[in-house]
Amino acid sequence: MAFIKPTQPKGEPEVDLGRLPRHVAIIMDGNGRWAKRRGLPRTAGHAAGAETFRTIATYCKDIGLEYLTVYAFSTENWKRPLEEVSAIVGLLKKYLLESIEKMERDRIRLRFFGDLTPLPQELKELCGRTNEISKGYDGMQVNVCFNYGGRDEIIQAARAFAAACAAGERRPEELTEEMFGGYLYSAGIPDPDLVIRPSGEVRISNFLLWQSAYAEFYFTDVLWPDFSPEELRRALAAYQGRDRRYGGV
Ligand code: FPP
């Protein structure tokens, strides 16, 4: 059995690589505060956050995680100043352009959760292309939630099911949890086992509401740009110490 030793002071928990969660989801929070503490504009916090995302995604791939889902932009984030919204959209584009080669090399699958229609045409095409290229790959799957909201996702799914019923393709009484899951952005992907929220906030903020029904949650005060592989190992070790009962005893 393989273990990784966190580079932590003695006594820190170890992570059993044979018992990793299949799917880890992260709310990348605290970029603004990280920047403020350094007297930098919030956009600098997002740039640092995008680097952290790259580091953490690479680490997850290295340890053999199957699915990583990150919350990059919520349906509520449009309320932010235009400059900040543009910066986040720009970072997504930069990240995709810089990652295509690596994704090919590591056979990373990329999927987007959210409504991409309001994005600039060029970025939409880039998202579509990276998604298409990676469909045939078999490496770690990264899901980027962009213009994503958990309630919005459920509403979209309910509408799609209702439309299928109206078209005579489905009947309301045949709807099961499993079938409903097939209408969500996450269709075909196992539910997250572990949801991590850094930055000291202890709430779900409309993230994977349906999918996280039985997830374990891990909260830390560390701000996202400071979130390191060591922090992730702490979260994984905490997860491995949990007793998941799914409503049983
Ligand atoms: C939350 O921190 C963070 C966001 C709303 C944006 C996250 C975006 C990135 C990490 C970069 C782009 C993404 C990719 C996939 C490359 P906050 O701004 O709410 O921080 P605060 O709570 O401290 O103000």
Side-chain angles (χ1 to χ4, degrees), residues 27-36 42 45-54 70-74 77 80 84 87-96 112 142 144-146 197 199 201 203 223-225:
I27 301 178
M28 303 189 290
D29 194 16
N31 298 345
R33 278 163 285 168
W34 181 92
K36 194 170 174 206
R42 294 178 57 82
H46 295 312
E51 281 312 313
T52 300
F53 167 61
R54 206 194 297 269
V70 290
Y71 207 177
F73 193 84
S74 76
N77 286 152
R80 296 185 178 213
E84 185 173 341
I88 298 175
V89 170
L91 282 167
L92 178 64
K93 183 176 167 193
K94 180 171 178 278
Y95 173 79
L96 289 179
F112 294 91
V142 178
V144 176
C145 299
F146 210 93
R197 181 162 196 163
S199 95
E201 310 293 354
R203 53 179 173 260
L223 302 174
W224 175 248

Side-chain angles (χ1 to χ4, degrees), residues 50-63:
E51 281 312 313
T52 300
F53 167 61
R54 206 194 297 269
T55 306
I56 293 298
T58 305
Y59 183 74
C60 287
K61 173 200 58 97
D62 290 345
I63 61 173

Side-chain angles (χ1 to χ4, degrees), residues 3-33:
F3 284 90
I4 29 171
K5 268 198 177 46
T7 46
Q8 293 297 320
K10 266 194 173 153
E12 279 293 328
E14 290 181 357
V15 176
D16 177 354
L17 290 182
R19 289 196 306 122
L20 285 180
R22 288 188 75 190
H23 185 172
V24 173
I26 307 180
I27 301 178
M28 303 189 290
D29 194 16
N31 298 345
R33 278 163 285 168

Side-chain angles (χ1 to χ4, degrees), residues 22-28 53 57 65-73 92 95-96 103 108-114 116 131 134 139-146 148 153 184-192 207-208 211:
R22 288 188 75 190
H23 185 172
V24 173
I26 307 180
I27 301 178
M28 303 189 290
F53 167 61
L65 193 82
E66 284 181 74
Y67 298 92
L68 173 68
T69 301
V70 290
Y71 207 177
F73 193 84
L92 178 64
Y95 173 79
L96 289 179
M103 278 171 49
I108 301 289
R109 287 170 291 163
L110 191 71
R111 215 203 257 191
F112 294 91
F113 291 3
L116 302 184
N131 180 263
S134 62
M140 179 175 75
Q141 175 158 342
V142 178
N143 306 306
V144 176
C145 299
F146 210 93
Y148 171 88
E153 179 184 32
L184 299 170
Y185 294 122
S186 56
I189 299 170
D191 286 343
F207 185 49
L208 303 179
Q211 298 87 341

Side-chain angles (χ1 to χ4, degrees), residues 4 10 13 18 25 41 64 79 112 114 131 145 150 168 181 206-207 214 220-221 236 245:
I4 29 171
K10 266 194 173 153
K79 293 180 209 152
F112 294 91
N131 180 263
C145 299
N206 209 8
F207 185 49
Y214 284 100
T220 167
D221 287 340
L236 293 171
R245 292 191 298 275

